[in-house]
Amino acid sequence: MSSMPVPVLEPRVSLAIMGEMERFPVRRGFCIGRNYAAHAREMGFDPDREPPFFFLKMAEAIFPVEAGVETPLPYPPGTSDYHHEVELVVALGKGGRNIPEDKAMEHVFGYAVGLDMTRRDLQGEAKKLGRPWEIGKSADASGPVGPITRAGATGFSLKGRIALSIDGATKQDATLAAMIWSIPEQIAILSQFFELKAGDLIFTGTPEGVSAVTRGQVMLGAVEGLESIRLKVV
């Protein structure tokens, strides 16, 4: 009989909430693929012919980024082509099944800036072989997310600017209004396949301009009206 002790799990990942002492506990991350037409085209796909699809990012891949701090972001093993994808992240405050689209926004706790960091070489190989994407999309710390701003806060609009720069040079620059599938649509569709719950995050897609980063570079991810995130690749 094994004498190995019962594992003691680390506390659940949590995110800061702007202006509050309490933190937001993360349950899991959902990501929608190719939700900006220009990004779909730069990846070689026709957005007009594609229904929405989602993939998962493990809770352990969510990497909390605190306000006003340049945070070291580890470069993961097994890749030489690690790409940035800046995204608006939606945090759910309550869940449900088969949520009607016209009720979906009632489930939103708040919003944050996030990155869907991607081992593009491994994702590309998985695509060719018809294999799952997790090895490319769910590396440790591949989901950095900044502090959450509660829904309804002034200064934030779902038509605002989303952008990312590397060492001061702009790489991605678009507006949230360019999403193909809206946030209410994403929530409604996901709830047809999963019972959504409080603590779930939805990464809502990235605009065009994704590219590789290298160690030593500094990324600044921003969404108008939200706390930006600053990360140094190490």
Side-chain angles (χ1 to χ4, degrees):
M1 181 178 297
S2 173
S3 60
M4 183 180 296
V6 175
V8 177
L9 298 183
E10 296 179 359
R12 176 173 287 183
V13 174
S14 65
L15 302 172
I17 303 170
M18 291 298 292
E20 301 183 26
M21 294 296 294
E22 288 187 286
R23 295 179 67 86
F24 184 88
V26 174
R27 185 167 182 269
R28 58 188 167 178
F30 295 98
C31 306
I32 188 170
R34 298 193 286 264
N35 198 32
Y36 288 75
H39 172 60
R41 293 188 185 102
E42 77 177 350
M43 300 302 291
F45 296 89
D46 182 351
D48 296 327
R49 299 181 181 180
E50 189 172 44
F53 70 95
F54 297 86
F55 55 92
L56 289 168
K57 197 174 279 285
M58 297 183 297
E60 291 78 9
I62 305 301
F63 185 67
V65 182
E66 305 306 317
V69 177
E70 182 176 288
T71 304
L73 181 71
Y75 195 100
T79 183
S80 58
D81 195 22
Y82 200 40
H83 280 213
H84 60 79
E85 297 188 8
V86 66
E87 312 209 3
L88 173 68
V89 176
V90 176
L92 298 185
K94 65 177 182 177
R97 295 182 185 272
N98 298 314
I99 298 169
E101 188 178 321
D102 61 356
K103 301 289 186 182
M105 297 303 281
E106 297 175 8
H107 296 253
V108 175
F109 177 88
Y111 305 94
V113 180
L115 298 180
D116 171 22
M117 298 299 297
T118 303
R119 290 189 276 208
R120 191 72 73 198
D121 44 1
L122 301 188
Q123 182 199 25
E125 187 66 19
K127 287 179 182 179
K128 291 178 185 177
L129 299 173
R131 293 175 178 172
W133 287 10
E134 281 82 2
I135 196 167
K137 286 289 192 178
S138 206
D140 293 338
S142 63
V145 180
I148 296 171
T149 295
R150 280 185 178 264
T154 57
F156 172 71
S157 166
L158 289 174
K159 297 182 180 179
R161 183 185 178 211
I162 179 171
L164 181 134
S165 64
I166 298 178
D167 293 339
T170 300
K171 299 295 184 179
Q172 295 183 267
D173 194 352
T175 66
L176 299 174
M179 288 185 195
I180 298 170
W181 299 93
S182 70
I183 290 169
E185 289 172 324
Q186 292 180 58
I187 293 171
I189 293 166
L190 274 169
S191 72
Q192 295 173 18
F193 298 97
F194 301 91
E195 181 179 0
L196 299 178
K197 294 192 176 182
D200 285 342
L201 303 178
I202 302 175
F203 289 69
T204 59
T206 195
E208 72 275 18
V210 302
S211 62
V213 295
T214 58
R215 292 175 179 86
Q217 290 185 317
V218 175
M219 299 181 289
L220 180 66
V223 171
E224 187 176 349
L226 302 180
E227 185 72 20
S228 61
I229 57 175
R230 187 177 182 89
L231 299 148
K232 184 173 184 178
V233 184
V234 296

